[in-house]
Amino acid sequence: MKIAVVILNWNGKALLEKFLPSVVAHSSEATIYVADNASTDASVAFVKANYPEIKIIPNTENGGYAKGYNQALQHVEEDIFCLLNSDIEVTQNWLSPILQEFKTNSETDIIQPKILDYKNKEYFEYAGAAGGFIDKYGYPYCRGRIFDTIEKDENQYQDANIFWASGACFFIKKETFKILDGFDESFFAHMEEIDLCWRAFNLNYKTKYIGASTVYHVGGATLQSSNPKKTYLNFRNSLFTLTKNASGSLFFLIFTRLVLDGVAAIKFLLQLKITHILAIFKAHFSYYTALPRLLKERKKLPKKKDYYQTKSIVFSYFIKGNKTF
């Protein structure tokens, strides 16, 4: 079973300089690729000059995470894809537990390792932590991270089936990626991996967390949480995902989301984050514009009712005070 580590890059020379050494040093089992989203800096020249063994896949445009990987992975022949952010430091033997799981458990199709914070290595990192879940209304959360509460890693989360794996370090069988028709390119960035995992879940594919593999993620290297564009993409893409994949009454789900997103806008107002309020309004406008296409997508796959463990993570966290998984 052959594995490819594919790093998507866009004007990320500084990140490649910092994090490629760990990937090269600890990934002898893999073929390493850098998929470049039409960078205008010297990042591709840097890789060619310093790591001639790494294969370069040139994309024709910056199509974001979703389109960038969809285009690049057409040129990758290995059995397993590892989609690795350029701001991740990997550790010794990080690939061994992943390959072992794929080899011994044929039912596992998607895997996420333990993702810890590069800047505070005893704690989980926001984007993925110890594996993701989602509530009835499409709000994602993780074992080890719910909203802004980040847990210290004390090996409290063991290997388990999860609902979604983080796109920061995302392993998937090539055949599964092909059957699912890759990422939804309309997402551009943020939550496209949740959409993919939800589609996989509806087709009975298994997503798993493997804690014996550890990586350290900087997070926010592309868009920081303070950037209103990230707020826009997260709110819009969450609605996209919910509409395409959730079972039950869509009208009820979207109406409830409208109310909950309004509460989030009030929270931003109290923080005087006006640009983030505008981002939420923009997200909803974009969603309603895309609704006819999303409804067509909704008809393509079967829907499973048991996609959520927690009915409302917002109610559980903010009203009941449950701060940990």
Side-chain angles (χ1 to χ4, degrees):
M1 185 173 283
K2 296 181 179 179
I3 186 168
V5 173
V6 187
I7 301 169
L8 191 66
N9 172 68
W10 181 69
N11 290 343
K13 180 173 179 284
L15 293 173
L16 294 173
E17 288 176 333
K18 187 169 186 176
F19 294 105
L20 261 186
S22 74
V23 179
V24 172
H26 302 311
S27 308
S28 58
E29 307 98 321
T31 302
I32 303 173
Y33 297 79
V34 168
D36 185 70
N37 267 0
S39 293
T40 55
D41 69 352
S43 51
V44 172
F46 164 77
V47 175
K48 289 181 177 178
N50 293 277
Y51 301 99
E53 71 275 21
I54 292 179
K55 298 183 179 182
I56 305 292
I57 303 174
N59 289 332
T60 56
E61 61 180 312
N62 179 22
Y65 184 101
K67 189 172 185 177
Y69 269 122
N70 281 352
Q71 289 182 343
L73 294 177
Q74 295 177 31
H75 305 284
V76 178
E77 297 298 329
E78 283 75 13
D79 309 297
I80 304 296
F81 299 153
C82 170
L83 315 185
L84 187 71
N85 275 18
S86 58
D87 60 344
I88 279 187
E89 179 184 77
V90 304
T91 60
Q92 190 172 8
N93 297 320
W94 71 296
L95 291 176
S96 298
I98 305 296
L99 286 169
Q100 183 66 20
E101 173 65 22
F102 278 125
K103 288 176 181 177
T104 58
N105 191 345
S106 62
E107 292 186 350
T108 300
D109 292 276
I110 301 170
I111 293 177
Q112 180 201 298
K114 180 185 291 186
I115 302 179
L116 299 179
D117 188 347
Y118 178 79
K119 301 181 291 292
N120 193 359
K121 291 187 174 181
E122 293 184 344
Y123 285 80
F124 288 105
E125 207 279 316
Y126 186 91
F133 291 85
I134 204 160
D135 77 358
K136 182 176 181 178
Y137 306 106
Y139 290 107
Y141 59 99
C142 304
R143 301 193 306 172
R145 187 276 296 170
I146 302 177
F147 290 107
D148 293 329
T149 300
I150 311 291
E151 294 181 50
K152 185 177 182 179
D153 173 34
E154 296 176 326
N155 292 315
Q156 65 269 48
Y157 297 114
Q158 304 305 312
D159 294 0
N161 291 329
I162 56 176
F163 187 75
W164 60 268
S166 171
C169 187
F170 185 96
F171 294 85
I172 186 169
K173 292 177 179 176
K174 178 182 179 178
E175 187 62 26
T176 305
F177 190 82
K178 183 178 179 181
I179 290 171
L180 293 169
D181 200 26
F183 294 112
D184 183 336
E185 295 180 6
S186 69
F187 281 54
F188 186 79
H190 296 292
M191 293 194 69
E192 60 280 281
E193 79 272 44
I194 299 178
D195 172 68
L196 185 76
C197 288
W198 202 335
R199 287 185 277 128
F201 173 81
N202 280 337
L203 289 175
N204 295 316
Y205 292 115
K206 296 290 191 296
T207 300
K208 194 163 184 178
Y209 165 82
I210 300 295
S213 173
T214 300
V215 301
Y216 298 100
H217 184 211
V218 173
T222 305
L223 284 177
Q224 295 183 350
S225 59
S226 59
N227 191 322
K229 185 175 181 180
K230 187 167 188 177
T231 299
Y232 162 72
L233 288 171
N234 278 334
F235 276 81
R236 186 199 67 168
N237 292 352
S238 176
L239 288 165
F240 279 11
T241 301
L242 187 69
T243 301
K244 289 173 58 180
N245 302 301
S247 61
S249 169
L250 185 61
F251 175 81
F252 174 76
L253 289 174
I254 299 305
F255 178 78
T256 305
R257 271 298 302 269
L258 181 64
V259 173
L260 292 172
D261 288 358
V263 172
I266 293 172
K267 182 172 181 285
F268 282 131
L269 178 63
L270 295 175
Q271 297 170 338
L272 300 179
K273 295 181 178 181
I274 306 304
T275 55
H276 290 268
I277 298 172
L278 295 175
I280 294 176
F281 281 109
K282 182 182 176 184
H284 276 262
F285 179 78
S286 179
Y287 164 70
Y288 297 125
T289 301
L291 191 56
R293 174 185 63 81
L294 295 169
L295 292 175
K296 290 181 181 178
E297 292 289 326
R298 179 176 174 80
K299 295 177 181 179
K300 291 183 179 180
L301 291 177
K303 306 293 183 289
K304 292 171 65 177
K305 293 181 180 180
D306 56 343
Y307 65 87
Y308 61 92
Q309 291 187 343
T310 301
K311 186 174 182 179
S312 174
I313 195 65
V314 174
F315 181 82
S316 177
Y317 182 88
F318 290 104
I319 306 301
K320 296 179 69 176
N322 297 331
K323 301 299 184 182
T324 61
F325 187 87

